[in-house]
Coordinates of all heavy atoms in Angstrom, one line a residue:
M1 N -26.0 30.0 38.7 CA -24.7 29.4 38.8 C -24.3 29.5 40.2 O -24.4 30.5 40.9 CB -23.7 30.1 37.8 CG -22.4 29.5 38.0 SD -21.1 30.2 36.8 CE -21.7 29.2 35.4
V2 N -23.8 28.5 40.8 CA -23.4 28.4 42.1 C -21.9 28.0 42.3 O -21.5 27.0 41.7 CB -24.3 27.4 43.0 CG1 -23.8 27.3 44.4 CG2 -25.8 27.8 42.9
H3 N -21.2 28.8 43.1 CA -19.8 28.4 43.4 C -19.8 28.2 44.8 O -20.4 28.8 45.7 CB -18.8 29.6 43.1 CG -19.0 30.1 41.6 ND1 -18.3 29.5 40.6 CD2 -19.7 31.1 41.1 CE1 -18.6 30.0 39.5 NE2 -19.4 31.1 39.7
A4 N -19.0 27.1 45.2 CA -18.9 26.7 46.6 C -17.4 26.4 47.0 O -16.7 25.9 46.2 CB -19.8 25.5 46.9
V5 N -17.1 26.6 48.3 CA -15.9 26.3 48.9 C -16.2 25.7 50.3 O -17.3 26.0 50.8 CB -14.9 27.4 49.0 CG1 -14.4 28.0 47.7 CG2 -15.5 28.5 49.8
P6 N -15.3 24.9 50.9 CA -15.5 24.4 52.2 C -15.7 25.6 53.1 O -15.1 26.6 53.1 CB -14.2 23.7 52.6 CG -13.7 23.3 51.2 CD -14.0 24.4 50.3
A7 N -16.7 25.4 54.1 CA -17.0 26.6 55.1 C -15.8 27.0 55.8 O -15.0 26.2 56.3 CB -18.2 26.1 55.9
A8 N -15.7 28.3 56.0 CA -14.6 28.8 56.9 C -14.9 28.4 58.3 O -13.9 28.3 59.1 CB -14.6 30.3 56.7
E9 N -16.1 28.4 58.6 CA -16.5 28.0 60.1 C -17.5 26.8 59.9 O -18.6 27.0 59.5 CB -17.2 29.2 60.6 CG -17.5 29.1 62.1 CD -18.2 30.4 62.6 OE1 -17.8 31.5 62.2 OE2 -19.1 30.2 63.5
P10 N -17.0 25.6 60.2 CA -17.8 24.4 60.1 C -19.2 24.6 60.8 O -19.3 25.1 61.9 CB -17.0 23.3 60.8 CG -15.6 23.8 60.6 CD -15.7 25.2 60.8
G11 N -20.3 24.1 60.1 CA -21.6 24.3 60.6 C -22.3 25.6 60.5 O -23.4 25.7 61.0
R12 N -21.6 26.5 59.8 CA -22.2 27.8 59.6 C -21.9 28.2 58.1 O -20.9 28.8 57.8 CB -21.5 28.8 60.5 CG -22.1 30.2 60.4 CD -22.6 30.6 61.7 NE -22.9 32.1 61.7 CZ -24.2 32.5 61.5 NH1 -25.1 31.8 61.4 NH2 -24.4 33.8 61.4
A13 N -22.8 28.0 57.3 CA -22.7 28.4 55.9 C -22.8 29.9 55.7 O -23.6 30.6 56.4 CB -23.8 27.7 55.0
R14 N -22.0 30.4 54.7 CA -22.2 31.8 54.3 C -22.7 31.9 52.9 O -22.5 30.9 52.1 CB -20.9 32.5 54.4 CG -20.3 32.6 55.9 CD -19.1 33.4 55.9 NE -18.0 32.7 55.3 CZ -16.8 33.3 55.0 NH1 -16.5 34.5 55.5 NH2 -15.9 32.6 54.4
F15 N -23.4 32.9 52.6 CA -24.2 33.1 51.3 C -23.8 34.4 50.7 O -24.0 35.4 51.3 CB -25.6 32.9 51.6 CG -26.5 33.0 50.4 CD1 -26.5 32.0 49.4 CD2 -27.3 34.2 50.2 CE1 -27.4 32.2 48.4 CE2 -28.2 34.3 49.1 CZ -28.2 33.3 48.3
G16 N -23.3 34.4 49.5 CA -23.1 35.6 48.7 C -23.9 35.6 47.4 O -24.2 34.6 46.9
L17 N -24.2 36.8 46.9 CA -25.0 37.0 45.7 C -24.2 37.9 44.8 O -23.6 38.9 45.2 CB -26.2 37.6 46.1 CG -27.4 36.9 46.7 CD1 -28.5 37.7 47.0 CD2 -27.8 35.8 45.7
A18 N -24.3 37.6 43.5 CA -23.9 38.4 42.4 C -25.0 38.5 41.4 O -25.3 37.5 40.7 CB -22.6 37.9 41.8
V19 N -25.6 39.6 41.3 CA -26.7 39.9 40.4 C -26.3 41.0 39.5 O -26.4 42.2 39.9 CB -28.0 40.2 41.2 CG1 -29.2 40.3 40.2 CG2 -28.3 39.1 42.2
S20 N -26.0 40.7 38.2 CA -25.5 41.7 37.3 C -26.6 42.5 36.6 O -27.7 42.1 36.7 CB -24.5 41.1 36.3 OG -25.3 40.4 35.3
K21 N -26.2 43.5 35.9 CA -27.1 44.3 35.2 C -27.8 43.4 34.0 O -28.9 43.9 33.6 CB -26.5 45.6 34.6 CG -26.2 46.6 35.6 CD -25.6 47.9 35.0 CE -25.4 48.9 36.0 NZ -24.9 50.1 35.4
A22 N -27.2 42.4 33.6 CA -27.7 41.5 32.6 C -29.1 41.0 33.0 O -29.9 40.6 32.2 CB -26.8 40.4 32.3
V23 N -29.3 40.8 34.3 CA -30.5 40.3 34.9 C -31.7 41.2 34.7 O -32.8 40.8 34.4 CB -30.4 40.0 36.4 CG1 -31.7 39.5 36.9 CG2 -29.3 38.8 36.6
G24 N -31.4 42.5 34.7 CA -32.5 43.5 34.5 C -32.1 44.8 35.2 O -31.0 45.0 35.7
N25 N -33.2 45.7 35.2 CA -32.9 47.0 35.9 C -32.8 46.8 37.4 O -32.9 45.7 37.9 CB -34.0 48.0 35.5 CG -35.4 47.6 36.0 OD1 -35.5 46.9 37.0 ND2 -36.4 48.1 35.3
S26 N -32.6 47.9 38.1 CA -32.4 47.9 39.6 C -33.5 47.1 40.3 O -33.3 46.3 41.2 CB -32.2 49.3 40.1 OG -32.1 49.3 41.4
V27 N -34.7 47.4 39.9 CA -35.9 46.8 40.6 C -35.9 45.3 40.4 O -36.1 44.6 41.4 CB -37.3 47.5 40.1 CG1 -38.4 46.7 40.7 CG2 -37.3 48.9 40.4
V28 N -35.7 44.9 39.2 CA -35.6 43.5 38.9 C -34.5 42.7 39.7 O -34.6 41.7 40.3 CB -35.6 43.2 37.4 CG1 -35.3 41.7 37.1 CG2 -36.8 43.7 36.7
R29 N -33.3 43.4 39.7 CA -32.1 42.8 40.3 C -32.4 42.6 41.8 O -32.1 41.6 42.4 CB -30.9 43.7 40.1 CG -30.4 43.6 38.6 CD -28.9 44.2 38.5 NE -28.7 45.5 39.2 CZ -29.0 46.6 38.5 NH1 -29.4 46.8 37.3 NH2 -28.8 47.8 39.2
H30 N -33.0 43.7 42.4 CA -33.3 43.6 43.8 C -34.3 42.6 44.2 O -34.2 41.9 45.2 CB -33.6 45.0 44.4 CG -32.4 45.9 44.5 ND1 -32.1 46.8 43.6 CD2 -31.4 46.0 45.5 CE1 -30.9 47.4 43.9 NE2 -30.5 46.9 45.1
R31 N -35.3 42.4 43.3 CA -36.3 41.4 43.5 C -35.7 40.0 43.5 O -36.0 39.1 44.3 CB -37.3 41.5 42.4 CG -38.5 40.5 42.6 CD -39.6 40.6 41.6 NE -40.1 41.9 41.3 CZ -40.0 42.4 40.0 NH1 -39.7 41.7 39.0 NH2 -40.4 43.7 39.9
V32 N -34.8 39.8 42.5 CA -34.2 38.5 42.4 C -33.2 38.3 43.6 O -33.3 37.1 44.2 CB -33.3 38.4 41.1 CG1 -32.3 37.2 41.1 CG2 -34.2 38.4 39.9
A33 N -32.6 39.2 44.0 CA -31.7 39.1 45.2 C -32.5 38.8 46.5 O -32.1 37.9 47.3 CB -30.8 40.3 45.5
R34 N -33.7 39.5 46.6 CA -34.5 39.3 47.9 C -35.0 37.8 47.8 O -35.1 37.1 48.9 CB -35.6 40.2 47.8 CG -35.4 41.6 48.4 CD -36.6 42.4 48.6 NE -37.6 42.4 47.6 CZ -37.6 43.3 46.5 NH1 -36.5 44.3 46.5 NH2 -38.5 43.3 45.6
R35 N -35.5 37.4 46.6 CA -36.0 36.0 46.5 C -34.9 35.0 46.9 O -35.1 34.0 47.6 CB -36.6 35.8 45.1 CG -37.9 36.5 44.9 CD -38.3 36.3 43.5 NE -39.7 36.8 43.3 CZ -40.3 37.0 42.2 NH1 -39.8 36.5 41.1 NH2 -41.5 37.5 42.1
L36 N -33.7 35.2 46.4 CA -32.6 34.3 46.6 C -32.3 34.2 48.1 O -32.0 33.1 48.6 CB -31.4 34.6 45.7 CG -31.6 34.1 44.2 CD1 -30.5 34.7 43.4 CD2 -31.6 32.6 44.1
R37 N -32.2 35.4 48.7 CA -31.9 35.5 50.1 C -33.0 34.7 50.9 O -32.7 34.0 51.9 CB -31.8 36.8 50.6 CG -30.4 37.5 50.3 CD -30.2 38.8 51.2 NE -31.2 39.8 50.7 CZ -31.1 40.7 49.8 NH1 -30.0 40.7 49.0 NH2 -32.1 41.6 49.6
H38 N -34.2 34.8 50.6 CA -35.3 34.2 51.3 C -35.2 32.6 51.1 O -35.3 32.0 52.1 CB -36.7 34.7 50.7 CG -37.8 34.0 51.3 ND1 -38.2 34.2 52.7 CD2 -38.6 33.1 50.8 CE1 -39.3 33.5 52.9 NE2 -39.5 32.7 51.8
V39 N -34.9 32.2 49.9 CA -34.7 30.8 49.6 C -33.6 30.2 50.5 O -33.7 29.2 51.1 CB -34.5 30.6 48.1 CG1 -34.0 29.2 47.9 CG2 -35.8 30.8 47.4
F40 N -32.5 30.9 50.6 CA -31.4 30.4 51.3 C -31.7 30.4 52.8 O -31.4 29.5 53.5 CB -30.2 31.4 51.1 CG -28.9 30.9 51.9 CD1 -28.2 29.9 51.5 CD2 -28.6 31.6 53.1 CE1 -27.1 29.4 52.2 CE2 -27.5 31.1 53.8 CZ -26.8 30.0 53.3
A41 N -32.4 31.5 53.3 CA -32.7 31.6 54.7 C -33.7 30.4 55.1 O -33.6 29.9 56.2 CB -33.4 33.0 55.1
A42 N -34.6 30.1 54.2 CA -35.6 29.0 54.5 C -34.9 27.6 54.6 O -35.3 26.8 55.4 CB -36.6 29.0 53.4
D43 N -33.7 27.5 53.9 CA -33.0 26.2 53.9 C -31.6 26.4 54.6 O -30.7 25.5 54.4 CB -32.8 25.8 52.4 CG -34.0 25.3 51.8 OD1 -35.0 24.9 52.6 OD2 -34.1 25.1 50.6
A44 N -31.5 27.3 55.5 CA -30.2 27.6 56.1 C -29.7 26.4 56.8 O -28.4 26.1 56.8 CB -30.3 28.8 57.1
A45 N -30.5 25.6 57.5 CA -30.1 24.5 58.2 C -29.4 23.4 57.3 O -28.4 22.8 57.7 CB -31.2 23.9 59.0
Q46 N -30.0 23.2 56.2 CA -29.5 22.3 55.2 C -28.1 22.7 54.6 O -27.2 22.0 54.5 CB -30.5 22.0 54.1 CG -31.6 21.1 54.5 CD -32.7 21.9 55.1 OE1 -32.7 23.2 55.2 NE2 -33.8 21.3 55.7
W47 N -28.0 24.1 54.4 CA -26.8 24.5 53.9 C -25.8 24.5 55.0 O -24.5 24.2 54.7 CB -26.9 26.0 53.4 CG -27.6 26.0 52.1 CD1 -28.9 26.4 51.8 CD2 -27.1 25.7 50.8 NE1 -29.2 26.5 50.5 CE2 -28.1 26.0 49.8 CE3 -25.8 25.3 50.3 CZ2 -28.0 25.7 48.5 CZ3 -25.7 25.0 49.0 CH2 -26.7 25.2 48.1
D48 N -26.1 24.8 56.2 CA -25.1 24.7 57.3 C -24.6 23.2 57.4 O -23.4 23.1 57.7 CB -25.8 25.1 58.7 CG -26.0 26.6 58.8 OD1 -25.4 27.3 58.0 OD2 -26.8 26.9 59.7
A49 N -25.5 22.2 57.3 CA -25.0 20.8 57.4 C -24.1 20.5 56.3 O -23.3 19.6 56.4 CB -26.3 20.0 57.4
A50 N -24.3 21.2 55.2 CA -23.4 20.8 54.0 C -22.0 21.4 54.2 O -21.0 21.0 53.5 CB -24.0 21.5 52.7
N51 N -21.8 22.2 55.2 CA -20.4 22.8 55.4 C -19.8 23.5 54.2 O -18.7 23.2 53.8 CB -19.5 21.8 56.1 CG -19.8 21.5 57.5 OD1 -20.1 22.4 58.2 ND2 -19.8 20.2 57.8
L52 N -20.6 24.3 53.4 CA -20.2 25.0 52.3 C -20.5 26.5 52.5 O -21.5 26.9 52.9 CB -20.8 24.4 51.0 CG -20.6 23.0 50.7 CD1 -21.5 22.6 49.6 CD2 -19.1 22.8 50.3
D53 N -19.5 27.3 51.9 CA -19.8 28.7 51.7 C -20.1 28.8 50.3 O -19.4 28.2 49.4 CB -18.6 29.5 52.1 CG -18.3 29.6 53.5 OD1 -19.2 29.4 54.4 OD2 -17.2 30.0 54.0
I54 N -21.1 29.5 49.9 CA -21.6 29.6 48.5 C -21.7 31.0 48.0 O -22.0 31.9 48.8 CB -22.9 28.7 48.3 CG1 -24.1 29.4 49.0 CG2 -22.7 27.3 48.7 CD1 -25.4 28.9 48.5
V55 N -21.4 31.1 46.7 CA -21.8 32.4 46.0 C -22.7 32.0 44.9 O -22.5 31.1 44.0 CB -20.6 33.0 45.4 CG1 -20.9 34.2 44.6 CG2 -19.7 33.5 46.6
V56 N -23.8 32.7 44.8 CA -24.8 32.4 43.7 C -24.7 33.6 42.7 O -24.8 34.8 43.2 CB -26.3 32.3 44.2 CG1 -27.3 32.3 43.1 CG2 -26.4 31.2 45.2
R57 N -24.5 33.3 41.5 CA -24.5 34.3 40.4 C -25.7 34.1 39.7 O -26.0 33.1 39.0 CB -23.3 34.1 39.4 CG -23.2 35.1 38.5 CD -21.9 35.1 37.7 NE -21.8 33.8 36.9 CZ -21.8 33.7 35.6 NH1 -21.8 34.8 34.9 NH2 -21.8 32.6 35.0
A58 N -26.6 35.1 39.8 CA -28.0 35.1 39.1 C -27.8 35.3 37.6 O -27.1 36.2 37.2 CB -28.9 36.1 39.7
L59 N -28.4 34.4 36.8 CA -28.4 34.5 35.4 C -29.6 35.3 34.9 O -30.6 35.4 35.7 CB -28.3 33.2 34.7 CG -27.0 32.3 35.1 CD1 -27.1 31.0 34.5 CD2 -25.8 33.1 34.7
P60 N -29.6 35.8 33.7 CA -30.8 36.6 33.2 C -32.1 35.9 33.4 O -33.2 36.5 33.7 CB -30.5 36.9 31.8 CG -29.0 37.0 31.8 CD -28.5 35.9 32.7
A61 N -32.1 34.5 33.2 CA -33.4 33.8 33.4 C -33.9 33.9 34.8 O -35.2 33.7 35.0 CB -33.2 32.3 33.1
A62 N -33.2 34.3 35.8 CA -33.7 34.4 37.1 C -34.7 35.5 37.3 O -35.6 35.5 38.1 CB -32.6 34.7 38.0
A63 N -34.7 36.5 36.4 CA -35.6 37.6 36.4 C -37.0 37.2 36.2 O -38.0 37.7 36.7 CB -35.2 38.6 35.3
A64 N -37.3 36.1 35.4 CA -38.6 35.6 35.1 C -38.9 34.4 36.0 O -40.1 34.0 36.0 CB -38.6 35.1 33.6
A65 N -38.1 34.0 36.8 CA -38.4 32.8 37.7 C -39.2 33.2 38.9 O -39.0 34.3 39.4 CB -37.0 32.1 38.1
T66 N -40.0 32.2 39.3 CA -40.8 32.5 40.6 C -39.9 32.0 41.7 O -38.9 31.4 41.5 CB -42.1 31.7 40.5 OG1 -41.7 30.3 40.5 CG2 -42.9 32.0 39.3
S67 N -40.4 32.4 42.9 CA -39.6 32.0 44.1 C -39.6 30.4 44.2 O -38.6 29.9 44.6 CB -40.3 32.6 45.4 OG -40.2 34.0 45.4
S68 N -40.7 29.8 43.9 CA -40.6 28.3 44.0 C -39.7 27.7 43.0 O -39.0 26.7 43.2 CB -42.0 27.7 43.8 OG -42.5 28.0 42.6
M69 N -39.5 28.3 41.8 CA -38.6 27.9 40.8 C -37.2 28.1 41.3 O -36.3 27.2 41.2 CB -38.8 28.6 39.5 CG -40.1 28.3 38.8 SD -40.4 29.3 37.3 CE -39.2 29.0 36.2
L70 N -36.9 29.2 41.9 CA -35.6 29.5 42.5 C -35.2 28.5 43.6 O -34.1 28.0 43.8 CB -35.5 30.9 43.0 CG -35.5 32.0 41.9 CD1 -35.6 33.4 42.5 CD2 -34.3 31.9 41.0
A71 N -36.3 28.2 44.4 CA -36.1 27.3 45.6 C -35.7 25.9 45.0 O -34.9 25.2 45.6 CB -37.3 27.2 46.4
A72 N -36.4 25.4 43.9 CA -36.2 24.2 43.4 C -34.8 24.1 42.8 O -34.0 23.1 42.9 CB -37.2 23.8 42.3
D73 N -34.4 25.2 42.1 CA -33.0 25.2 41.6 C -31.9 25.2 42.6 O -31.0 24.5 42.5 CB -32.8 26.5 40.7 CG -33.4 26.5 39.5 OD1 -33.9 25.4 39.0 OD2 -33.6 27.5 38.7
M74 N -32.1 25.9 43.7 CA -31.2 25.9 44.8 C -31.1 24.5 45.5 O -30.0 24.0 45.8 CB -31.6 26.9 45.9 CG -31.4 28.4 45.4 SD -29.7 28.8 45.1 CE -29.0 28.9 46.8
T75 N -32.2 23.9 45.7 CA -32.2 22.5 46.2 C -31.5 21.6 45.3 O -30.7 20.8 45.8 CB -33.7 22.0 46.5 OG1 -34.3 23.0 47.3 CG2 -33.7 20.6 47.0
S76 N -31.7 21.7 44.0 CA -31.0 20.8 43.1 C -29.5 21.1 43.1 O -28.7 20.1 43.1 CB -31.5 21.1 41.6 OG -30.8 20.4 40.7
C77 N -29.1 22.3 43.2 CA -27.7 22.7 43.2 C -27.1 22.2 44.5 O -26.0 21.7 44.5 CB -27.6 24.3 43.2 SG -27.8 25.0 41.7
R78 N -27.8 22.2 45.7 CA -27.3 21.7 46.9 C -27.0 20.2 46.7 O -25.9 19.8 47.1 CB -28.2 22.0 48.1 CG -27.5 21.6 49.3 CD -28.4 21.9 50.6 NE -29.7 21.4 50.5 CZ -30.8 22.0 50.4 NH1 -30.9 23.3 50.5 NH2 -31.9 21.4 50.5
G79 N -27.9 19.5 46.2 CA -27.7 18.1 45.9 C -26.5 17.8 45.1 O -25.7 16.9 45.4
R80 N -26.3 18.6 44.0 CA -25.2 18.4 43.1 C -23.8 18.7 43.8 O -22.9 17.9 43.7 CB -25.3 19.2 41.8 CG -26.3 18.6 40.8 CD -26.2 19.3 39.5 NE -26.2 20.7 39.5 CZ -27.3 21.4 39.4 NH1 -28.5 20.8 39.1 NH2 -27.3 22.7 39.4
L81 N -23.9 19.7 44.6 CA -22.7 20.1 45.3 C -22.3 19.0 46.4 O -21.1 18.7 46.5 CB -22.8 21.5 46.0 CG -22.9 22.6 45.1 CD1 -23.3 23.9 45.9 CD2 -21.5 22.9 44.5
L82 N -23.3 18.5 47.0 CA -23.0 17.5 48.0 C -22.5 16.3 47.4 O -21.5 15.6 47.9 CB -24.3 17.1 48.9 CG -24.7 18.2 49.8 CD1 -26.0 17.9 50.4 CD2 -23.7 18.4 50.9
R83 N -23.0 15.8 46.2 CA -22.5 14.7 45.5 C -21.0 15.0 45.1 O -20.2 14.1 45.2 CB -23.3 14.3 44.3 CG -24.7 13.6 44.8 CD -25.4 13.1 43.5 NE -25.8 14.1 42.6 CZ -26.9 14.8 42.7 NH1 -27.7 14.7 43.7 NH2 -27.3 15.7 41.8
R84 N -20.7 16.1 44.5 CA -19.4 16.4 44.1 C -18.4 16.5 45.2 O -17.3 16.0 45.1 CB -19.4 17.7 43.3 CG -20.0 17.6 42.0 CD -20.0 18.9 41.2 NE -20.7 18.8 40.0 CZ -21.0 19.8 39.2 NH1 -20.8 21.1 39.6 NH2 -21.7 19.6 38.1
T85 N -18.8 17.1 46.3 CA -17.8 17.2 47.4 C -17.7 15.8 48.1 O -16.5 15.6 48.5 CB -18.4 18.2 48.5 OG1 -19.6 17.8 48.9 CG2 -18.3 19.6 47.9
S86 N -18.6 15.0 48.1 CA -18.4 13.6 48.6 C -17.4 12.9 47.8 O -16.6 12.1 48.2 CB -19.8 12.9 48.9 OG -20.3 12.6 47.7
K87 N -17.6 13.0 46.5 CA -16.6 12.3 45.6 C -15.2 12.9 45.7 O -14.3 12.0 45.8 CB -17.0 12.6 44.1 CG -18.2 11.8 43.7 CD -18.6 12.1 42.2 CE -19.8 11.4 41.8 NZ -20.1 11.7 40.4
V88 N -15.0 14.1 45.9 CA -13.7 14.6 46.1 C -13.1 14.2 47.5 O -11.9 13.9 47.5 CB -13.7 16.2 46.1 CG1 -12.5 16.8 46.6 CG2 -14.1 16.7 44.7
M89 N -13.9 14.2 48.4 CA -13.4 13.7 49.8 C -13.2 12.2 49.8 O -12.3 11.8 50.6 CB -14.4 14.1 50.9 CG -14.5 15.6 51.1 SD -15.7 15.9 52.5 CE -15.1 17.5 53.0
A90 N -13.7 11.5 48.9 CA -13.6 10.0 48.9 C -12.2 9.6 48.2 O -11.6 8.6 48.5 CB -14.7 9.4 48.2
T91 N -11.7 10.5 47.4 CA -10.5 10.3 46.7 C -9.3 10.6 47.5 O -9.3 11.3 48.5 CB -10.4 10.9 45.3 OG1 -10.4 12.4 45.5 CG2 -11.5 10.4 44.4

């Protein structure tokens, strides 16, 4: 689940994580957090261009997801967020 707000500093996205115990034990939670941070860092330029600060709340299914699955989900989320923010700004 991704929550987003307009960036506090235009052109510089910030990224926050919430990985609860429902995802798994400490080792699993940290693995999910590392993978999500890596995915965000790899696409930082695209997130910066979106002018959004985001918080990702990892759901239990993230424990079984591969890095490529998480990357695909983040890319999909970014696309949905951009479409939604463009609709809001158009009104």
Side-chain angles (χ1 to χ4, degrees):
M1 176 173 284
V2 177
H3 303 279
V5 297
E9 189 178 323
R12 180 120 170 105
R14 293 184 298 174
F15 178 70
L17 283 174
V19 185
S20 75
K21 287 184 179 181
V23 173
N25 64 24
S26 177
V27 173
V28 173
R29 290 193 312 270
H30 285 96
R31 182 182 313 126
V32 168
R34 281 193 310 273
R35 287 179 176 172
L36 286 170
R37 279 193 300 272
H38 177 75
V39 166
F40 181 78
D43 289 340
Q46 287 84 5
W47 285 106
D48 288 345
N51 283 321
L52 296 171
D53 288 340
I54 65 165
V55 173
V56 174
R57 185 172 61 114
L59 299 176
T66 63
S67 294
S68 60
M69 292 168 67
L70 293 172
D73 285 346
M74 291 293 288
T75 301
S76 173
C77 286
R78 186 176 57 242
R80 283 193 308 266
L81 286 169
L82 289 174
R83 285 190 297 278
R84 287 181 184 164
T85 56
S86 65
K87 286 181 185 178
V88 169
M89 292 181 154
T91 58

